[in-house]
Amino acid sequence: MKSVSIFSILLLIYSHAFSQDTTAKHSLQLIVGLSDFHVRDEFASSLIYRNTNFAVEGEYMIKTDKSIQSFQLAGYNAVLKTNLEKYDAENFRVSFRYNYLHNISKYKIWGNDLNIFLGGGGYSLLNFSQYNEYISEYGVLTESWYWVHSAEVSAFANYNTGSNNLGFAADFSLISNVSRPQYSYIPGTYRYSHINPFGKMEVFWNNPSVHIKIIYGYQLSSRFQILAQYNFQYSYFDEPRIIGLYMNNFLTGVRLSL
Amino acid sequence: MNKYILIIKKYLLILVCFLPLISCEDLILGPDPENTPTNNFNILWKEFDRYYPSFIVRNIKWDSLYTCYSSRINNDCTDKELWQIIKSLLYNFNDGHVTIYNTNSIYYNSSHRNSNEYEFNLDVVQSIYLDRNFHSAGKGNFTYGRFPGDSIGYLHIAAFSGLSDWAKDIDNIISGLSDVNTLIIDIRNNRGGHVPNFSYIAASFTDKDITFRKEIARNGPKHSDFTSPVTQTISPRKSSPNFTKQIILLTNRVTASASEMFALFFKQLPYSIQIGDSTSGSIGLIRGFQLPNGWLYEMPDGLTLTMDDKSLEGIGVVPDIYVRNTEEEIFRGYDRVLETALEYISGWKK
């Protein structure tokens, strides 16, 4: 039922978006770089695990004079470290974000356009880690995950000088569905992890999630733009134990107009 | 060109405004827990308090133990002193699944049992009793053969550990021993392993569904907060041979964890008896935790109950016939437990 509700909200936003314009410009973006990731998941450990790893993100964008729609997919894989030598964690993260943004105002600054967009969308992040130790014969402390699906409110500002483009985006979760491990071991399964894609419905003060993005683009030709992007993502939840995580992503790549 | 440099400078300025976020781990996630003796002790105590499933069945007064041992801790304690205090605290568990390791993998296990592994020696069985006529399978976990006379088979299972398919070798072993009248299954010195391995092997010894144990786990902060029980049933594999004639299961104090679940299964079979010593009394899986100083500690997670809701923690699976080797007997090549089993079988024959 919860998943159906979230899907319905996304579908509503999506169908509304497609009813808006007919002169859409489509583009595809691929960027790669580094993700500086930090997590404290007290279900597995009271220590912070962190590392910088390879990151890849892709985005499909439909842009009109009045609106922007984007579909973003990102993936990360890392061996996270602590301050302790004999512990690490194999971590992977996958995220998907859909945004629909409507142009609410336009300003001229230094002779160039500054467009302000407001809207919303959906965000899904799976963060999974296997926590390892290199002391006993067993080798594994536990497994843990944080899987969230959020309905978000989003804002985007875009300053365009013609060949140069600077954008600033921010997304804040409003309501979320969060899946986390149970309190402890799951009887009859011989393990802790039994990853459910859906868990508890939460409002933003219980499960705050913030995403900030700064993107710079330089137009190489009518179809190609080179990009440099900085992302900051933060999420927090406190069941069955506190998990706080954030990542700083530094990426570069190209956008191709279709 | 200058125009572009100016724009890039402006953009960099905006980026610099976000740099504090990049380097502010303490601000965003808070600091790592302090690595002090007091904090290490407190973290260990609290994690046991949250997750350990056997406080009630083992009658452990955890709050009282905190009062007793925390008074000995202060931040001037050396690592050696902290190790001794934590060892003393954990001694109260008397649980084979409660262990602490330092960063050099030196460990202390809280079990008090006299689980002397030298009271059994597979070499003695192989050389004296099987007359060196034995085979090995399952990546060395199975040793099997026949006693002189061919009517009694022998199968030793060294461990249930490992994630490969080694347990499937049991099918060939059962086929090879299908003509014996009695099978002695020896799980002495088997310290356990993975439940799926013992479950696969156990299925070779039944021709009907056997529900033989229940499992519960903590689901809240109170020592009495438990999940609903989940039962385990072993079902025969239709495509594999099975052995349902007379079975004698040999156990000792070293037989632990998943091996004890295996022994519980055989308790449900009317054609099986258990000879030897009680098993270890530490039945369950193990979860590891870390301390800020790098030490690792382990505790059981689930609690296994018999079908009549009794916990065997600290007791073990009790044999039908109690008999125990001495180290000296094994040294001179005499296995009293196995002799008792063979004698019992000769009684069956009469």
Side-chain angles (χ1 to χ4, degrees), chain B residues 40-309:
Chain B
N40 280 302
F41 180 86
N42 285 337
I43 286 173
L44 178 137
W45 187 89
K46 281 178 189 165
E47 294 293 90
F48 269 98
D49 193 50
R50 281 190 184 103
Y51 295 119
Y52 186 69
S54 305
F55 284 117
I56 295 169
V57 297
R58 287 181 182 269
N59 195 26
I60 295 166
K61 309 294 180 201
W62 197 227
D63 290 332
S64 305
L65 290 172
Y66 180 81
T67 309
C68 174
Y69 290 96
S70 63
S71 63
R72 302 185 198 175
I73 297 266
N74 62 59
N75 286 343
D76 295 326
C77 283
T78 62
D79 273 1
K80 196 175 172 184
E81 288 166 336
L82 179 65
W83 180 257
Q84 287 304 328
I85 293 166
I86 289 179
K87 268 175 67 175
S88 305
L89 172 72
L90 299 186
Y91 177 85
N92 293 281
F93 283 102
N94 184 16
D95 184 337
H97 279 159
V98 171
T99 307
I100 185 159
Y101 300 77
N102 70 14
T103 48
N104 296 319
S105 300
I106 293 168
Y107 70 92
Y108 166 74
N109 181 279
S110 81
S111 175
H112 309 175
R113 295 205 174 279
N114 178 20
S115 54
N116 186 350
E117 63 183 28
Y118 299 107
E119 291 177 8
F120 169 71
N121 188 333
L122 186 58
D123 281 345
V124 170
V125 179
Q126 290 169 341
S127 56
I128 309 285
Y129 293 90
L130 295 175
D131 203 16
R132 294 254 155 235
N133 185 19
F134 64 91
H135 307 278
S136 183
K139 297 199 167 173
N141 285 308
F142 294 122
T143 299
Y144 65 100
R146 292 160 187 260
F147 292 99
D150 277 356
S151 65
I152 304 168
Y154 177 82
L155 170 65
H156 180 260
I157 309 169
F160 292 111
S161 52
L163 294 171
S164 64
D165 284 345
W166 66 264
K168 291 184 178 173
D169 284 3
I170 190 67
D171 295 337
N172 286 334
I173 295 170
I174 295 299
S175 293
L177 294 175
S178 60
D179 59 328
V180 300
N181 298 324
T182 306
L183 183 61
I184 295 175
I185 301 174
D186 194 346
I187 53 170
R188 287 177 293 173
N189 284 15
N190 182 328
R191 296 176 187 275
H194 289 273
V195 173
N197 288 337
F198 97 67
S199 302
Y200 188 92
I201 297 165
S204 302
F205 299 102
T206 181
D207 54 8
K208 60 182 181 185
D209 288 357
I210 301 288
T211 301
F212 66 102
R213 72 180 184 105
K214 296 178 181 177
E215 197 170 81
I216 54 175
R218 289 281 297 276
N219 68 351
K222 286 189 226 157
H223 295 176
S224 57
D225 286 338
F226 284 106
T227 59
S228 302
V230 174
T231 57
Q232 186 182 0
T233 299
I234 299 283
S235 302
R237 286 185 302 281
K238 292 196 170 63
S239 56
S240 303
N242 55 24
F243 187 95
T244 54
K245 292 184 254 182
Q246 292 165 340
I247 292 171
I248 292 182
L249 185 74
L250 305 185
T251 58
N252 65 3
R253 277 291 191 204
V254 186
T255 304
S257 196
S259 302
E260 298 184 87
M261 298 178 193
F262 191 71
L264 266 180
F265 164 78
F266 279 88
K267 280 282 183 210
Q268 301 292 320
L269 303 181
Y271 42 86
S272 168
I273 68 156
Q274 181 186 344
I275 294 177
D277 201 348
S278 293
T279 60
S280 168
S282 306
I283 312 171
L285 304 179
I286 298 173
R287 181 179 169 188
F289 297 81
Q290 69 192 173
L291 290 177
N293 65 0
W295 294 355
L296 168 76
Y297 58 102
E298 294 169 345
M299 69 175 94
D301 37 34
L303 185 60
T304 286
L305 304 174
T306 60
M307 291 310 291
D308 53 354
D309 294 321

